[in-house]
Amino acid sequence: MTTRATRGPRRRTVVALAVILSVLAAFVVRLVDIQVVSADAHVADSQSYIGGSNTIAGQRGTIVDSAGIPLAESVLVYDAELSPFVITELEEKDPELPWAEASEKIAAITGQTGDEVRKRVADALAVNPKSQYVELKKSLTTEQHIELRDLKLAYLHQTARETRVYPNGAVAGNIVGFLNGSGEAQAGIEKMDQSCLAPTDGAKTYRQGKDGVVIPGSEKITDAVDGGTVQLTINSDLNWYLQQMIAEEAQAQGAKGGTVTVVEVKTGKIRAAAEWPSLDPNDLDGASPSSWGSQIFHRDFEPGSTFKAITAAAVMEGAGVTPLSTVSAASKETFPNGAVINDAFTHPAYNYTLAGGLIDSSNVALSKFGTMVSPEVRYDYLQRFGVGEDTVGFPTEVSGILHPVSEWDSQSLYTTTFGQYFTVTAAQVAGAYQAIANGGEKIDLSLVESCTQPDGTVVAADEPQHDRIITEQTASDLTRMLENVAVQGGNADRIQVPGYRVTSKTGTAQVPDGKGGYKAGVYFTSMVGFAPVDDPQYVVVVTLDEPTKVVSSAATASAFQKAMTQVMKTYRVMPSSTPMDELLPKFE
């Protein structure tokens, strides 16, 4: 039974406790307001607080081929290190896992030997008995990281970092490009599509007191945004085959290098860009710096006879010439302005048709046909077919040299009719023949399909420009003449693709000696064509840099035939279903 005497003290105790709790609650509310609700305002007002931040790194995007196969990607690797001093300290305390056993377990995971691991530690201690650091192994995989972590060794530390890897090695390596040691894009698609691939770093910011303690509620996190995925037009399987093939062919011909470019006629998409010497971006030191770029976009050369087709287009449209129009042409002639033009072989004066001039690749005949229109007209057609302009905006791409007509002298007035006194790249040659194969409509070449952003949004590449640069009839006549070149020309037996009607044209360019002249007896050779003639699907361009076994453009015949055959197989192109038209006469 509670008496009045005991009721009084208990009531006072309850009241006192309630008062104390109320005061504490007020303090808590105020503390939350200061450090959480109004933390920013209070921190900003105080000069005694120190700001700090940590970068949250985003991951660089991936480069994939037309089928989504990765050609470049970023992966997380781990660098492991040991603390020799901590090892010695723990050894004195009889650890659960002695160093002799632990070093063997570590070595089994890192791919080293126990002796090697122990020697690293012993050497560090010999220099400094209190050494806190010795490198164990760099670039460990996630699996290795987890296995090492699970050993729970106090003296073993691992640091994560992002690194760039190229799963397909040298496949399209010259096109993909590479980064430097600081992760900065240096070449190729890595540089060309930096805006898509580059991540946006995030940050964690906070405020600290003078004692270094982070002030609660002052932390702010801005998430990192990873880079996007760049999809190329390149078919990596086709590119792999063509790289192996051109490497073999170039070496068999004693050439310094070689390239194969494949373009889809109806889209302008580059389906293969194969080169030798090739670059493996995983191993820059394994290739000469001269091979770090792409010869398809960086090497320009005089196209030679491959551009006789463009002269033919100019005179057919500008002077009413037809494939059967004729001129008299000997193998060497002196023109009215004193210029002397030679053919590659000796022959009497033939009454060459335009088709015959292309089939025999007569410089004299094309000079006479070419000057049926003004130099300004021919200059215009060279521009229409892409001479002097970039193709895809590849980093440091060269646009070639197209001298203005005012700089054409008595000799170049004629040499420009057969591919001299201006330069092009292999990509530009492919673009020119894409227009012929596509019925006269030139489509800008492309190397990139799209950029897929981290949220899944797909941003397609800009639609390529379409320009009608010659009529359909002119394109048809050119195609027929180029098929006759493939059938009646000197390389006919070596370039036929069974089941397919093919066009072709060779080019043999003199190589500048750097002194204003040309190297003696060496050439930059090329061959270009498309197939099937009755429904053109793909253009193939092959180049060889200074072949020595066969120095003429015939050196490219085998590589061209193999490349075109493989392209037809890769894309399962239907064989030709209509026979070739009647052969065109070379002479009247």
Side-chain angles (χ1 to χ4, degrees):
M1 181 175 178
T2 303
T3 64
R4 182 176 302 198
T6 60
R7 257 192 245 117
R10 181 173 296 177
R11 188 177 291 121
R12 287 193 294 273
T13 300
V14 171
V15 171
L17 182 59
V19 170
I20 292 171
L21 290 175
S22 298
V23 172
L24 284 175
F27 274 111
V28 170
V29 169
R30 182 57 178 158
L31 185 63
V32 169
D33 177 63
I34 292 174
Q35 294 197 345
V36 179
V37 178
S38 304
D40 288 346
H42 290 292
V43 168
D45 290 341
S46 175
Q47 297 299 317
S48 62
Y49 297 139
I50 302 171
S53 67
N54 293 323
T55 298
I56 302 174
Q59 189 169 16
R60 187 173 179 82
T62 301
I63 301 173
V64 300
D65 79 344
S66 59
I69 297 172
L71 298 175
E73 59 187 358
S74 293
V75 298
L76 203 61
V77 296
Y78 297 84
D79 297 334
E81 60 189 59
L82 296 167
S83 173
F85 178 70
V86 174
I87 293 173
T88 59
E89 289 285 297
L90 291 178
E91 283 296 286
E92 294 176 0
K93 299 177 182 179
D94 191 23
E96 182 178 339
L97 185 62
W99 172 235
E101 295 180 35
S103 58
E104 291 293 336
K105 288 181 178 290
I106 291 171
I109 295 170
T110 61
Q112 299 165 288
T113 66
D115 288 341
E116 182 181 353
V117 173
R118 289 187 290 272
K119 185 176 186 305
R120 285 174 179 262
V121 171
D123 289 348
L125 290 171
V127 175
N128 178 11
K130 292 189 177 182
S131 172
Q132 293 283 5
Y133 169 81
V134 65
E135 181 182 294
L136 174 61
K137 193 73 176 285
K138 285 183 173 293
S139 301
L140 296 172
T141 65
T142 300
E143 291 75 14
Q144 291 173 308
H145 160 69
I146 293 173
E147 290 184 58
L148 288 175
R149 183 198 64 190
D150 290 346
L151 294 176
K152 298 180 180 179
L153 300 172
Y155 46 76
L156 176 61
H157 306 282
Q158 299 183 76
T159 303
R161 63 180 172 85
E162 183 185 280
T163 189
R164 198 69 166 164
V165 297
Y166 302 87
N168 277 273
V171 176
N174 302 75
I175 298 299
V176 171
F178 56 91
L179 311 180
N180 64 14
S182 301
E184 299 167 336
Q186 298 299 295
I189 297 297
E190 292 277 28
K191 186 173 184 179
M192 179 175 165
D193 275 87
Q194 171 74 359
S195 59
C196 176
L197 295 166
T200 301
D201 289 342
K204 177 181 178 181
T205 60
Y206 50 84
R207 295 285 183 172
Q208 297 171 294
K210 289 183 178 180
D211 56 1
V213 175
V214 175
I215 299 171
S218 69
E219 296 176 334
K220 288 185 177 180
I221 295 178
T222 302
D223 292 331
V225 179
D226 293 338
T229 297
V230 171
Q231 184 169 38
L232 304 183
T233 60
I234 295 290
N235 179 320
S236 60
D237 288 341
L238 176 61
N239 218 93
W240 175 85
Y241 170 85
L242 294 177
Q243 280 184 224
Q244 309 309 307
M245 183 275 292
I246 197 61
E248 293 174 2
E249 290 287 333
Q251 291 174 80
Q253 291 295 339
K256 291 182 177 181
T259 72
V260 183
T261 310
V262 179
V263 170
E264 195 169 69
V265 169
K266 293 178 173 57
T267 65
K269 293 177 181 179
I270 298 174
R271 294 306 188 187
E275 309 183 36
W276 180 82
S278 58
L279 167 70
D280 182 349
N282 294 306
D283 182 21
L284 290 180
D285 294 335
S288 166
S290 62
S291 301
W292 287 1
S294 170
Q295 295 303 302
I296 291 171
F297 296 102
H298 295 154
R299 171 67 186 272
D300 62 331
F301 54 93
E302 292 184 342
S305 297
T306 58
F307 264 63
K308 286 175 179 172
I310 281 64
T311 298
V315 299
M316 282 193 291
E317 294 195 344
V321 172
T322 73
L324 300 181
S325 298
T326 61
V327 294
S328 175
S331 57
K332 180 178 180 179
E333 292 196 22
T334 301
F335 284 78
N337 65 3
V340 177
I341 302 297
N342 298 278
D343 281 350
F345 65 100
T346 302
H347 63 82
Y350 290 140
N351 208 26
Y352 267 118
T353 63
L354 179 60
L358 291 177
I359 293 168
D360 279 358
S361 205
S362 169
N363 295 337
V364 176
L366 264 294
S367 293
K368 291 189 173 183
F369 277 118
T371 49
M372 290 179 181
V373 294
S374 69
E376 288 76 14
V377 169
R378 287 194 283 117
Y379 180 91
D380 174 59
Y381 274 83
L382 290 174
Q383 280 192 317
R384 290 190 195 188
F385 278 90
V387 181
E389 296 181 356
D390 290 354
T391 57
V392 298
F394 199 75
T396 66
E397 177 180 357
V398 298
S399 57
I401 299 171
L402 180 57
H403 298 281
V405 172
S406 60
E407 295 180 9
W408 296 10
D409 60 18
S410 58
Q411 194 73 18
S412 55
L413 176 67
Y414 299 100
T415 60
T416 47
T417 67
F418 50 86
Q420 292 184 7
Y421 198 60
F422 63 90
T423 63
V424 296
T425 62
Q428 288 172 326
V429 175
Y433 273 73
Q434 175 278 328
I436 298 172
N438 198 39
E441 183 183 52
K442 190 175 190 297
I443 302 175
D444 285 350
L445 301 187
S446 59
L447 196 53
V448 175
E449 290 276 13
S450 63
C451 169
T452 301
Q453 298 174 346
D455 63 1
T457 301
V458 178
V459 180
D462 293 340
E463 181 68 22
Q465 184 170 325
H466 295 231
D467 292 310
R468 174 155 296 284
I469 60 173
I470 55 176
T471 68
E472 289 187 30
Q473 184 59 53
T474 301
S476 177
D477 288 341
L478 284 173
T479 297
R480 186 181 178 192
M481 288 190 289
L482 291 169
E483 183 178 17
N484 273 264
V485 173
V487 172
Q488 298 188 62
N491 295 304
D493 293 338
R494 294 189 290 272
I495 65 172
Q496 297 307 307
V497 179
Y500 297 89
R501 293 168 55 192
V502 178
T503 69
S504 76
K505 193 72 190 77
T506 57
T508 306
Q510 292 178 289
V511 180
D513 60 7
K515 302 175 183 178
Y518 293 102
K519 295 181 180 179
V522 295
Y523 301 93
F524 189 94
T525 64
S526 61
M527 183 177 286
V528 56
F530 52 85
V533 169
D534 42 345
D535 184 19
Q537 298 293 314
Y538 294 95
V539 173
V540 171
V541 180
V542 174
T543 70
L544 288 176
D545 188 358
E546 298 186 25
T548 56
K549 184 176 180 181
V550 177
V551 299
S552 71
S553 55
T556 58
S558 175
F560 177 83
Q561 194 276 341
K562 290 177 181 178
M564 185 64 81
T565 300
Q566 187 61 38
V567 170
M568 297 296 105
K569 289 180 179 179
T570 296
Y571 289 105
R572 300 181 179 180
V573 177
M574 292 295 292
S576 296
S577 58
T578 58
M580 179 181 179
D581 292 333
E582 182 181 355
L583 291 179
L584 291 170
K586 293 198 296 182
F587 318 113
E588 185 182 72

